Amino acid sequence: MSKLILLDGAMGTMLQNAGLAPGGRPEIFGLEHPDILEEIQRKYVEAGSDVIYANTFGANAHKLKGTGHSVEEVISVNVATARRAAGENVRVALDVGPIGELMEPMGTMSFEEVYETYREMAVTGEQAGADLIVFETMTDLYEVKAAVLAARENTKLPVWVTMSFEAGGRTFTGTLVSAMAATLDGLGVDAMGINCSLGPQEIFPMIEEMKKWTDKPLIVKPNAGLPDPFTGGYNIDAEEFVRQMRPYLSLGVSMVGGCCGTTPEFIAGLAGLAAEAESAETDEAGTSDDVLSPERDGKEKQGQIREPLNKNNKNTRLRGVCSSRKMVDFGGVRVIGERINPTGKKRFAQALREHDIDYIVEQAIDQADAGADILDINVGLPGIDEAELMTEVVQEVQSIVSLPLQIDSSDPATIEAGLRACSGRAIVNSVNAEDEVLEKILPIVKKYGAAVVGLTMDKSGIPDSAEERFRLAEKILNTALAVGIPREDVLIDCLTLTISAQQEQAVETLKAVRMVHEKLGLHCVLGVSNISFGLPKRIQITTNFLTQALCCGLDFPIVNPNQEEVMDTIAAFRALSGEDAQCEAYIERFADEPDEKKNE
């Protein structure tokens, strides 16, 4: 059985009622009037809150600049006040809001500056005695990523995140609910959800969507309905608020509370729902102890490694990769665009050497327009600072194109730089089966919650037989699981060798793909075009091999999406396999084609 954790309600609403002037800083008011603050928080405790938020929402160095107060002073005093109000049985959360400045490349703050700002708050909060950290009312997924990493890498406290969404299902900066859930699930937060901006009724379908993408405990902290344009207040009272919150019980949320416009009366009303939840059957969200006292040893909790992706898999959680604005699920054939890569591309290599970012971004746009689902990013050339350039290219591409990215490098520093620059959840390519490579790169993949492509090769090179490649795939999978990377995030590349030099290897590659797909239940990747290197009319060989590979289980082909014949082949396969329901995408793709002559 699982206890529904009851959070507190609005702080700003209560402080304004107690004398906070319009435009005043709640955190400074709390310093100057600790008795008023403590009384407000005690009322929430008396109403039934299991967790109260410290009055530290805007206590960051950026917002406190010029106030004469330090981060340490503001957080320490306000956490201490909350501790007094909480007593022995109620937990205190360090409440952390947005910094208030956009990040690069859209704004001026670098990832490192944002990270350091949140690190200071998190460390100070832990030292002050907070039981957990809540990042709330966030709108920028990239900022959230920096915040979560700062907290997890520098404290042992549980980390919760709630973002604020508009009615259309995106945040102010365009972040999707699914992108938030997938990214934060990968980063290993202890709970996630939605707060502020909307009422319970409006938030409900968004929590339904979030639940599809994560099995983490879910948090719901809505406003008291929607703003009234005439009064400036909110349009539902405590009784109606509780009525609208009731459906969340059947949805299996773990934590409920209130945001703007809510008061202790609202929380007291939710206490009745909490009592109902205690006697109700729980779902997979987990117990209150799991949420408030997680392990912090860098490994997944026992039982957290997911089941194989086969017909016996009971896990219904969706998986995918994303930017903040675009989600690509792992539910079918997904095209990885290969053009942002200097291998065999003299013009692209020239662009890298000349720092021609415009040309690189053009390649991203062209591939997105041609139908790519994911973009491979490889900037490795001798004499280039690969990590620095990877950061710049990732940021520039993401500012123009919304597609998720695949960070393609064998250098751990470059991989980390690329993952750090990604706004959402990426794929890392490539990790071969050498012990040293696995030991260096897989922990980075785990840290950033990425998916990973494992190459079936080791120090001896690429095995000739499908059976040996399968053995290396098993090794990569088992090592990834041991690090805590879920099985469904492991993709295997059985490697394509050109038939002009090793003709027999085409069959071995296809056989290996089928074995990995059927016996391990893993997603399969192949760089398809290498099959035809050195041959005339390459497209015939490439598309024929692509069709065979798709039938064997290839679902992540790395191809040039600007080759119409390749994309036509994939469109046909999607229609034949049933992925393209009612052949709608296929019909749309060829709608403008001239009618074929009918046989007489």
Side-chain angles (χ1 to χ4, degrees):
M1 306 300 288
S2 178
K3 181 181 185 296
L4 183 66
I5 296 172
L6 198 61
L7 310 177
D8 60 12
M11 177 56 70
T13 299
M14 297 293 288
L15 288 177
Q16 288 169 4
N17 293 338
L20 174 65
R25 296 177 181 272
E27 302 81 14
I28 306 301
F29 186 88
L31 288 180
E32 298 170 346
H33 306 282
D35 53 336
I36 295 177
L37 177 61
E38 184 176 346
E39 181 181 359
I40 291 171
Q41 290 175 322
R42 186 171 288 115
K43 286 180 179 179
Y44 281 123
V45 172
E46 292 170 353
S49 294
D50 300 299
V51 178
I52 59 173
Y53 288 21
N55 182 36
T56 53
F57 181 82
N60 64 67
H62 179 74
K63 289 187 175 180
L64 291 178
K65 187 177 182 179
T67 66
H69 298 283
S70 68
V71 171
E72 182 179 4
E73 177 191 11
V74 174
I75 288 180
S76 297
V77 172
N78 280 297
V79 169
T81 300
R83 282 249 71 95
R84 291 195 300 273
E88 296 182 359
N89 299 320
V90 174
R91 308 293 180 95
V92 172
L94 176 72
D95 185 23
V96 183
I99 292 174
E101 291 287 336
L102 290 176
M103 297 177 66
E104 294 175 340
M106 305 304 294
T108 59
M109 293 198 76
S110 69
F111 187 96
E112 289 70 27
E113 289 173 318
V114 173
Y115 179 98
E116 175 56 28
T117 299
Y118 285 123
R119 186 206 64 78
E120 182 182 23
M121 294 184 73
V123 170
T124 303
E126 183 177 44
Q127 292 172 346
D131 297 301
L132 64 142
I133 300 171
V134 178
F135 297 103
E136 68 161 343
T137 324
M138 307 296 285
T139 62
D140 183 354
L141 186 59
Y142 193 31
E143 183 177 355
V144 170
K145 185 174 183 177
V148 170
L149 288 169
R152 287 182 60 85
E153 292 176 2
N154 296 282
T155 78
K156 295 182 179 180
L157 298 180
V159 176
W160 300 356
V161 176
T162 56
M163 297 187 74
S164 296
F165 290 85
E166 298 180 348
R170 292 179 181 266
T171 70
F172 175 74
T173 62
T175 297
L176 289 165
V177 172
S178 55
M180 171 201 171
T183 301
L184 295 184
D185 188 278
L187 286 172
V189 301
D190 298 287
M192 70 178 78
I194 298 174
N195 81 291
C196 204
S197 75
L198 300 169
Q201 190 168 281
E202 293 76 25
I203 288 176
F204 187 84
M206 300 179 196
I207 293 293
E208 283 187 306
E209 174 69 12
M210 189 174 293
K211 190 177 176 64
K212 297 175 183 177
W213 293 94
T214 182
D215 52 15
K216 300 290 185 182
L218 297 180
I219 306 167
V220 183
K221 212 169 188 279
N223 288 346
L226 302 175
D228 187 317
F230 299 104
T231 67
Y234 291 84
N235 68 352
I236 62 175
D237 58 18
E239 183 178 355
E240 177 61 17
F241 183 83
V242 173
R243 188 190 71 79
Q244 291 188 18
M245 289 293 288
R246 187 175 297 277
Y248 287 102
L249 292 180
S250 60
L251 198 57
V253 300
S254 295
M255 288 149 279
V256 295
C259 206
C260 300
T262 63
T263 64
E265 181 184 2
F266 284 69
I267 304 307
L270 290 179
L273 291 183
E276 289 181 30
E278 286 188 52
S279 59
E281 185 173 348
T282 64
D283 73 355
E284 69 275 12
T287 66
S288 58
D289 288 340
D290 291 333
V291 178
L292 292 169
S293 303
E295 295 295 328
R296 272 290 180 269
D297 60 0
K299 298 179 181 179
E300 294 287 334
K301 296 176 193 174
Q302 184 177 0
Q304 286 293 302
I305 295 177
R306 277 87 184 187
E307 294 296 320
L309 296 180
N310 57 33
K311 62 183 180 181
N312 297 318
N313 183 18
K314 298 179 181 179
N315 182 10
T316 58
R317 178 185 58 165
L318 296 176
R319 300 299 286 180
V321 289
C322 62
S323 67
S324 62
R325 296 171 290 149
K326 175 77 172 180
M327 169 58 69
V328 173
D329 66 63
F330 285 179
V333 176
R334 301 295 177 252
V335 174
I336 301 176
E338 68 178 10
R339 297 300 298 169
I340 304 178
N341 188 322
T343 304
K345 303 178 184 70
K346 292 182 180 180
R347 177 65 184 91
F348 191 85
Q350 178 186 354
L352 290 179
R353 291 192 180 95
E354 296 177 354
H355 202 255
D356 186 353
I357 301 298
D358 288 342
Y359 178 82
I360 297 171
V361 172
E362 286 174 8
Q363 300 305 303
I365 295 171
D366 288 347
Q367 291 182 98
D369 290 345
D373 299 299
I374 300 163
L375 296 180
D376 183 81
I377 307 288
N378 185 317
V379 296
L381 276 180
I384 285 180
D385 187 332
E386 188 181 354
E388 182 178 334
L389 188 56
M390 176 65 80
T391 297
E392 183 177 5
V393 169
V394 166
Q395 290 181 338
E396 292 295 334
V397 167
Q398 284 184 142
S399 70
I400 302 297
V401 177
S402 64
L403 296 182
L405 303 180
Q406 175 171 275
I407 306 303
D408 188 352
S409 176
S410 58
D411 174 49
T414 300
I415 291 170
E416 180 146 22
L419 291 177
R420 213 169 180 84
C422 284
S423 65
R425 185 167 191 265
I427 300 174
V428 170
N429 185 6
S430 51
V431 179
N432 65 42
E434 296 179 33
D435 292 337
E436 184 179 359
V437 173
L438 295 172
E439 290 171 3
K440 287 183 177 180
I441 296 180
L442 287 183
I444 299 174
V445 173
K446 170 61 179 173
K447 172 182 174 180
Y448 289 92
V452 63
V453 175
L455 307 182
T456 55
M457 61 182 295
D458 56 17
K459 289 183 178 180
S460 300
I462 303 172
D464 290 335
S465 72
E467 288 75 15
E468 278 300 300
R469 294 188 208 182
F470 179 81
R471 182 185 63 80
L472 294 179
E474 282 188 305
K475 177 183 177 180
I476 293 168
L477 171 62
N478 290 332
T479 307
L481 292 176
V483 172
I485 299 171
R487 174 184 288 264
E488 58 265 37
D489 288 339
V490 179
L491 295 75
I492 296 296
D493 187 340
C494 294
L495 299 170
T496 306
L497 299 174
T498 178
I499 60 170
S500 63
Q502 296 171 282
Q503 189 172 10
E504 75 286 351
Q505 286 303 305
V507 173
E508 292 301 315
T509 296
L510 294 173
K511 182 179 177 182
V513 168
R514 186 179 295 278
M515 292 174 69
V516 168
H517 172 69
E518 294 182 351
K519 295 184 178 182
L520 297 180
L522 299 182
H523 297 292
C524 294
V525 178
L526 278 181
V528 176
S529 62
N530 193 47
I531 193 72
S532 60
F533 185 78
L535 293 173
K537 201 150 186 177
R538 292 183 61 187
I539 196 65
Q540 295 281 26
I541 297 294
T542 299
T543 53
N544 194 293
F545 178 73
L546 173 60
T547 298
Q548 293 184 59
L550 290 169
C551 291
C552 289
L554 171 64
D555 51 355
F556 284 79
I558 302 176
V559 298
N560 178 1
N562 298 110
Q563 290 183 309
E564 287 191 15
E565 298 92 337
V566 168
M567 297 304 287
D568 289 348
T569 298
I570 292 171
F573 179 83
R574 285 169 169 163
L576 289 165
S577 68
E579 178 188 338
D580 178 9
Q582 306 301 315
C583 303
E584 290 180 359
Y586 184 87
I587 293 170
E588 181 180 358
R589 181 175 181 84
F590 297 105
D592 296 330
E593 294 288 321
D595 291 337
E596 298 176 3
K597 293 182 179 180
K598 296 181 179 179
N599 292 328
E600 296 296 335

